[in-house]
Amino acid sequence: MPMNDHIEHPEVACDNLILVDADFADRVALDLIVNFGRMLGRQIPNADIARWIDCLALDGGIREGNGQTQVALIHSKGKKQLDCFTPGHLEKELDGQAFKDNLGEFVINAFSEESIVSREDLMADMLRLGLAAKEVKRIILVPDEAHHDLIRHVLEQADPGKDVTLLSMLPVAGDNFRQENLGYSLMNAMGISADEFK
């Protein structure tokens, strides 16, 4: 899916917000590539990032329309490249890019942690902004599993009314958000079909 660079750094003034811990997503994708490669006896390609974002959107309840979704890829300071996604360079290929399809327009920005703000705190701060923004109707989260307690705490403090979906490989306790399995969206983006396991 082609991306273009006509949008740089939009504010959180969109219908939907997808927050992704990019380091964590890359680690999970690597595990799936290695394990499914062995299991299926074939080379598993990198995940197509636009296709994966579409899958996240669908898992989070986004349907056909002309809405705008901001995608925030939060990464560690030294990380420049997503090794298991295509395209994968956070600064040159992903930051400030956008694509449009039947689910609306997706604007991608990469945000690096700083020495005084960790990836965990940056994710929590951006989640708070999204929860506070009246324009944002839906939030889709892919946090590091080590940070689930903080994310759950932020969600517990928020006013109800937002449609929040958390994607994880492990079950997460909490009743003010929906949960989906992260693995299915990644498998789809890697071209792994259920038929291969029959």
Side-chain angles (χ1 to χ4, degrees):
M1 195 171 298
M3 295 189 191
N4 55 60
D5 59 1
H6 69 278
I7 298 170
E8 290 180 10
H9 292 282
E11 297 174 11
V12 183
C14 54
D15 303 296
N16 312 297
L17 179 62
I18 299 177
L19 297 176
V20 175
D21 185 311
D23 294 53
F24 172 71
D26 214 21
R27 286 198 310 271
V28 173
L30 177 61
D31 285 345
L32 294 179
I33 286 171
V34 170
N35 291 324
F36 283 122
R38 288 181 189 144
M39 194 183 305
L40 299 174
R42 70 173 178 88
Q43 186 171 350
I44 306 297
N46 281 1
D48 178 309
I49 199 153
R51 186 170 172 182
W52 183 55
I53 289 169
D54 269 351
C55 290
L56 292 179
L58 289 167
D59 283 345
I62 297 173
R63 297 298 178 256
E64 286 193 25
N66 294 314
Q68 188 179 79
T69 300
Q70 181 172 340
V71 181
L73 302 175
I74 300 164
H75 60 95
S76 55
K77 195 170 184 179
K79 190 167 184 71
K80 305 287 185 200
Q81 175 79 31
L82 295 176
D83 297 320
C84 298
F85 290 85
T86 302
H89 197 285
L90 288 158
E91 294 174 3
K92 295 177 184 173
E93 296 177 318
L94 294 173
D95 189 39
Q97 301 298 306
F99 68 92
K100 192 168 188 176
D101 59 22
N102 63 323
L103 298 177
E105 183 173 42
F106 294 86
V107 180
I108 304 170
N109 292 107
F111 299 92
S112 173
E113 68 179 355
E114 300 298 330
S115 54
I116 55 170
V117 181
S118 67
R119 235 170 55 241
E120 178 181 11
D121 290 335
L122 186 54
M123 169 79 84
D125 288 346
M126 293 186 80
L127 174 56
R128 287 185 189 100
L129 284 172
L131 289 167
K134 290 180 181 175
E135 303 88 348
V136 177
K137 301 175 189 74
R138 184 175 282 106
I139 299 174
I140 299 160
L141 301 167
V142 183
D144 191 312
E145 287 166 354
H147 307 156
H148 280 174
D149 286 344
L150 174 60
I151 296 302
R152 205 167 53 234
H153 177 71
V154 171
L155 291 172
E156 285 167 359
Q157 304 302 312
D159 290 330
K162 299 282 185 191
D163 186 345
V164 178
T165 304
L166 188 148
L167 287 98
S168 175
M169 298 299 284
L170 300 171
V172 184
D175 58 6
N176 54 348
F177 57 88
R178 289 183 300 115
Q179 186 175 353
E180 297 290 340
N181 186 296
L182 176 60
Y184 297 138
S185 60
L186 285 168
M187 287 169 63
N188 185 305
M190 292 170 181
I192 301 170
S193 75
D195 292 342
E196 294 186 78
F197 298 96
K198 291 178 180 174

